[in-house]
Amino acid sequence: MSLHVIPKANYLSGERIKVTVRFADGAAPASESFWLVGHAAKGTRRVEVFRQPRPPEVLKKERDEAQAEARQCQEDKARLLVEREEPGGLMGAAWMERAGSLVSGAVSGQLKRHPADALRWDEARSYSYTRKGEAQPASVAVRLRLVNPGAEPWTLAGTALMGSTGEEVELARWQEAPIPTGPIGGFVVVGTERAPEQLGCPCTLNLWEAGGPRTVTIGNVTFPVSQKAAP
């Protein structure tokens, strides 16, 4: 079948007319649309539209496969965003050895609790990373398991490490989710990727929430010394 189109006398260059062709045989696709665009110098006298009919169940299968692929892409995107937001460096690999010496130690027994702490810590571990051939740590970190006895979840908004002579270093922080109420608790990781040479430990670690009074103060924090730092 053919469709003969005669443009109007005042048809302008660039003017667009949408043409939709519908098929009456019941096969899919049931219709097809295209645009006729006016041009001052170029034109064609004939436009051919070819169609390969396909059963509806084939199109349904293709649609389901496309939707499944789209869902997988969304899941992959969400996973990649989460991975990108996770900490890097020492904070992200606090339990692994890299090209150097990574040292960790449980410090729970030596830490000092503050009576005004809003959350209780059950596990505490400090880390230091020293590059080969160097004596001073390149970065330090602390991982804490906190238990929230309050009525509302707790989100870490800021943290700082204060040395024994008053020096203070602001730390980066990472928390996968707010600390829920109840005995289960959750983990936070804090640390710095620059050498804390100006700090004299034992240190005091301060953690606080955004715009709230619930703070955590941990005293007598130390970091392990690498035995493999020498060349």
Side-chain angles (χ1 to χ4, degrees):
M1 298 181 66
S2 63
L3 172 68
H4 187 61
V5 179
I6 301 176
K8 58 184 179 180
N10 58 348
Y11 194 70
L12 301 176
S13 177
E15 188 173 349
R16 299 163 61 89
I17 297 177
K18 185 178 182 180
V19 178
T20 299
V21 179
R22 294 180 174 85
F23 305 98
D25 56 4
S31 64
E32 186 62 51
S33 297
F34 54 93
W35 290 90
L36 298 178
V37 183
H39 195 281
K42 298 180 180 179
T44 180
R45 297 180 59 84
R46 185 173 182 177
V47 177
E48 295 182 345
V49 179
F50 296 93
R51 167 178 172 262
Q52 182 180 358
R54 288 176 292 172
E57 56 270 17
V58 174
L59 291 182
K60 182 178 182 301
K61 180 181 178 182
E62 292 178 354
R63 182 201 64 190
D64 294 343
E65 291 175 350
Q67 290 177 348
E69 183 178 357
R71 284 194 299 269
Q72 184 63 49
C73 289
Q74 291 294 330
E75 293 173 0
D76 292 343
K77 177 183 177 181
R79 176 180 54 80
L80 291 173
L81 288 175
V82 171
E83 292 176 354
R84 188 179 65 180
E85 292 171 355
E86 290 181 353
L90 180 65
M91 293 176 61
W95 52 90
M96 297 171 57
E97 293 238 0
R98 300 188 297 178
S101 176
L102 176 63
V103 182
S104 69
V107 292
S108 302
Q110 70 187 37
L111 297 180
K112 294 181 180 180
R113 300 181 184 272
H114 195 280
D117 282 349
L119 281 76
R120 184 181 76 252
W121 45 267
D122 278 356
E123 298 177 23
R125 198 167 187 87
S126 65
Y127 301 81
S128 67
Y129 170 70
T130 305
R131 298 187 181 94
K132 288 182 178 180
E134 297 184 3
Q136 293 291 335
S139 57
V140 296
V142 177
R143 185 178 65 189
L144 297 166
R145 179 178 177 272
L146 299 174
V147 176
N148 180 9
E152 297 291 337
W154 187 86
T155 300
L156 177 62
T159 176
L161 191 67
M162 180 176 294
S164 55
T165 57
E167 308 92 342
E168 186 172 289
V169 174
E170 184 177 352
L171 303 181
R173 64 191 184 277
W174 180 72
Q175 180 180 12
E176 187 175 23
I179 307 298
T181 61
I184 296 179
F187 285 93
V188 298
V189 178
V190 300
T192 175
E193 288 299 317
R194 56 189 179 91
E197 298 178 0
Q198 73 275 26
L199 279 174
C201 287
C203 301
T204 299
L205 179 63
N206 297 306
L207 305 96
W208 59 89
E209 64 177 345
R214 297 184 297 174
T215 62
V216 178
T217 301
I218 304 174
N220 207 35
V221 178
T222 60
F223 298 94
V225 178
S226 170
Q227 302 299 319
K228 299 185 254 182

